[in-house]
Amino acid sequence: MFPSAPHEFDWKKIRRGNRFQPGEWLAERLIFLVSLSAILMVFLIFLFVAREAFPILIGTATSASNQKVIPASEMDKLSAEQLRVYLGMKPDDFKKQDRETLKLLMEVREEAAKETPDDRDSGINTVGWRYLLRPFQWGGLSKPEYIWAPTSRIPKFNLIPLFVGSLKTTFVALLFAVPIALGAALYVSQLAPPRLREWLKPSIEMLSGIPSVVLGSFALLVAAPFLEHLLNLPTMLNAFVAGLALGLTCVPVIFSIAEDAISSVPQSFTQAALALGASRWRAAWDVVTPAALPGIFAAVVLGFGRAIGETMVVLIASGNAAQLSGSIFDSARTVTATIAAELAEAVFGSPHYRVLFLLGTLLFGITFVSNLAGQMIVGSLKGRLEGKR
């Protein structure tokens, strides 16, 4: 027989046994395309965010207001590329402008430079990495400080107070959510009667359907005044209040994954412990929990990602004060709240605009690295429990 032509379709690929099943073949291809498109969308979103932050990442962006000004009368001495770079325009936008418009833009820069104060701070590129990550003694200050003040006369974009605020609220959230979620998962999986388990598990998982803005409003209107009066807090809105509300958003995530991990432990583990005389509680705590430790750790890692990426709760209940403080009872400002509150007001292409996208890029990197490290630790724990290491 002659071999089939290269373009001829092989119908055997869509057979299942001796039956012709084109529906299953199409469903498999559709699922594959949907999965591939989801991965591609995540990659494209990250690529867009990183592109906007790229000038700061490589150190080409500048926010110094006291920069060298080229008079409009010297416009003809510049090449087209030099003029485009000086005006900070994209190539496509630059080509659309006529000579009179470009000259007018140079005159505007020249007039703005006359109003710029001639001091040390005005010549500093505040989006340089040295000023983004380290303290600096600005004019009028007695010592170096970490300051986030993007709308001040000299914009300051230090990132440390924002990440400290994010870590404080996340720490409080996990400290509150992990014991509750893991305790509930252990009880529902191992100790609760079957009829109670049938409605208790879905009830806890349904908490994830509560909008975060509702939890933030509850923290603002109910929890914050109550805790301020009860604990005599210095400020009503702080990292502690925001962290407690944030913990409520993490409980369903941690509970669901941890409960599945605990339930997947073979029943023979529990039966053997009971046969040796252990109570159900001791069997659940000393035998089942260690066996489910990789899944429990994965649940905590996902809870960390849920907490550090939450926006509305911390935007409403944290106080939004970008200050560097080690106390969880002081107001804080998180990375996500900063992006949500300031991105709409930032001028497109400005240093402030690019720093906000830099925050998004760094936040994505932190969550990616934490999830990757979590997977490595889970793999190591599985290996030890299975006796492979």
Side-chain angles (χ1 to χ4, degrees):
M1 295 179 63
F2 293 100
S4 58
H7 62 275
E8 184 178 347
F9 188 80
D10 188 2
W11 291 99
K12 293 181 180 180
K13 293 182 179 180
I14 60 175
R15 288 183 177 274
R16 296 294 184 270
N18 295 323
R19 298 183 61 188
F20 184 68
Q21 297 288 352
E24 292 185 9
W25 182 84
L26 290 175
E28 290 176 4
R29 296 303 182 273
L30 180 61
I31 294 173
F32 172 76
L33 290 176
V34 170
S35 304
L36 185 63
S37 63
I39 297 173
L40 184 61
M41 286 294 294
V42 173
F43 175 75
L44 290 177
I45 291 173
F46 172 72
L47 191 64
F48 167 74
V49 174
R51 185 195 67 176
E52 297 300 321
F54 190 69
I56 295 181
L57 290 172
I58 62 175
T60 59
T62 180
S63 64
S65 55
N66 189 10
Q67 303 178 30
K68 180 181 178 181
V69 177
I70 302 176
S73 58
E74 299 181 6
M75 175 179 173
D76 295 332
K77 298 180 181 181
L78 302 176
S79 65
E81 181 62 20
Q82 289 175 333
L83 182 59
R84 182 191 69 80
V85 173
Y86 172 71
L87 295 176
M89 301 178 65
K90 295 182 178 179
D92 294 338
D93 295 335
F94 181 78
K95 293 178 181 179
K96 297 177 183 178
Q97 309 301 326
D98 55 21
R99 187 178 186 281
E100 294 300 324
T101 303
L102 296 175
K103 185 175 181 181
L104 180 61
L105 292 174
M106 293 189 68
E107 292 175 351
V108 170
R109 280 208 164 196
E110 193 173 354
E111 292 297 325
K114 296 178 181 179
E115 301 177 0
T116 301
D118 188 15
D119 58 12
R120 178 181 67 95
D121 291 352
S122 62
I124 294 176
N125 178 20
T126 58
V127 294
W129 284 105
R130 187 257 179 269
Y131 305 98
L132 292 175
L133 300 178
R134 296 172 58 187
F136 185 75
Q137 186 173 349
W138 300 94
L141 299 180
S142 59
K143 62 178 181 178
E145 292 188 10
Y146 299 89
I147 299 177
W148 172 270
T151 58
S152 61
R153 183 181 66 87
I154 304 298
K156 305 171 184 66
F157 302 104
N158 197 280
L159 308 181
I160 301 302
L162 305 182
F163 281 101
V164 170
S166 295
L167 292 176
K168 283 199 302 183
T169 55
T170 301
F171 171 76
V172 174
L174 293 181
L175 198 63
F176 171 72
V178 169
I180 294 177
L182 296 185
L186 190 63
Y187 175 76
V188 169
S189 175
Q190 300 296 315
L191 304 176
R195 296 189 62 180
L196 180 61
R197 184 185 310 148
E198 290 179 0
W199 66 266
L200 189 58
K201 180 181 178 181
S203 299
I204 297 176
E205 292 177 341
M206 284 179 61
L207 293 176
S208 61
I210 300 177
S212 57
V213 67
V214 174
L215 294 175
S217 301
F218 173 80
L220 173 66
L221 301 176
V222 179
F226 174 75
L227 291 174
E228 182 188 26
H229 176 72
L230 179 65
L231 303 177
N232 194 22
L233 301 178
T235 57
M236 186 177 73
L237 300 179
N238 49 62
F240 179 71
V241 174
L244 293 181
L246 196 59
L248 295 177
T249 67
C250 301
V251 167
V253 177
I254 300 174
F255 166 81
S256 181
I257 299 174
E259 198 276 336
D260 290 339
I262 295 173
S263 297
S264 65
V265 176
Q267 288 291 327
S268 58
F269 284 40
T270 303
Q271 294 170 358
L274 295 177
L276 292 173
S279 63
R280 292 194 62 86
W281 164 249
R282 298 300 300 181
W285 181 254
D286 292 337
V287 178
V288 177
T289 300
L293 194 58
I296 293 174
F297 185 82
V300 175
V301 170
L302 290 178
F304 170 81
R306 176 73 173 86
I308 202 170
E310 175 57 42
T311 302
M312 289 308 301
V313 170
V314 292
L315 181 63
I316 295 174
S318 65
N320 288 311
Q323 57 183 342
L324 188 62
S325 170
S327 174
I328 61 174
F329 300 111
D330 290 334
S331 296
R333 189 177 183 88
T334 66
V335 171
T336 53
T338 301
I339 297 173
E342 300 180 9
L343 187 59
E345 300 178 358
V347 178
F348 178 81
S350 65
H352 185 196
Y353 172 86
R354 298 199 181 280
V355 169
L356 293 177
F357 276 93
L358 175 66
L359 287 172
T361 304
L362 295 177
L363 186 62
F364 178 88
I366 290 173
T367 54
F368 177 79
V369 170
S370 64
N371 289 335
L372 183 63
Q375 289 182 357
M376 295 176 62
I377 295 174
V378 167
S380 177
L381 291 174
K382 284 183 177 180
R384 291 180 181 180
L385 291 173
E386 294 173 0
K388 297 179 180 179
R389 298 182 184 179

